[in-house]
Amino acid sequence: MTSRSADPMTRGEAITRIIGLVLAVFFGIPFVALVWVALSSRFGSASADPHGYGLIFGTVLALGTGLLLAVALPLVLPRARRGSAYLWCMLGYLAVAAVLVVSLLTA
């Protein structure tokens, strides 16, 4: 007799989680870099970004990649936890997006 866990992961579920992990890394690294560029341009010295292009383009591109990350990141978790993961990822995305937009508009 072989002992199996109560909820074995199917092959399709494993593939979905691997694809989710690859997408999360693919969108997560540029998102973090763009948020860093935008916020360092806003709160850094004026000589580092005199025209504000880092703030403008960093904010716009971070908003796009952040939304893609918020959609892809919950795929890493088991199917039973994805609903609440989507909620928390979207709430986190909205918080970061609000900080980026406020920093852009108050510059």
Side-chain angles (χ1 to χ4, degrees):
M1 256 181 134
T2 62
S3 74
R4 295 183 183 231
S5 64
D7 188 22
M9 188 174 6
T10 63
R11 183 180 173 116
E13 178 73 17
I15 291 172
T16 301
R17 291 178 74 179
I18 291 170
I19 290 172
L21 180 64
V22 169
L23 288 175
V25 170
F26 184 73
F27 294 129
I29 292 171
F31 174 68
V32 170
L34 289 167
V35 168
W36 178 265
V37 166
L39 293 180
S40 66
S41 173
R42 171 64 174 96
F43 297 111
S45 66
S47 63
D49 187 18
H51 302 293
Y53 293 136
L55 177 62
I56 295 167
F57 292 117
T59 299
V60 171
L61 294 173
L63 291 175
T65 57
L67 185 60
L68 293 171
L69 177 63
V71 170
L73 190 60
L75 294 175
V76 176
L77 299 173
R79 184 179 301 263
R81 295 181 153 220
R82 284 191 194 141
S84 62
Y86 277 115
L87 172 69
W88 287 108
C89 283
M90 283 299 167
L91 287 175
Y93 168 72
L94 289 175
V96 172
V99 168
L100 287 172
V101 169
V102 166
S103 69
L104 177 66
L105 295 177
T106 59

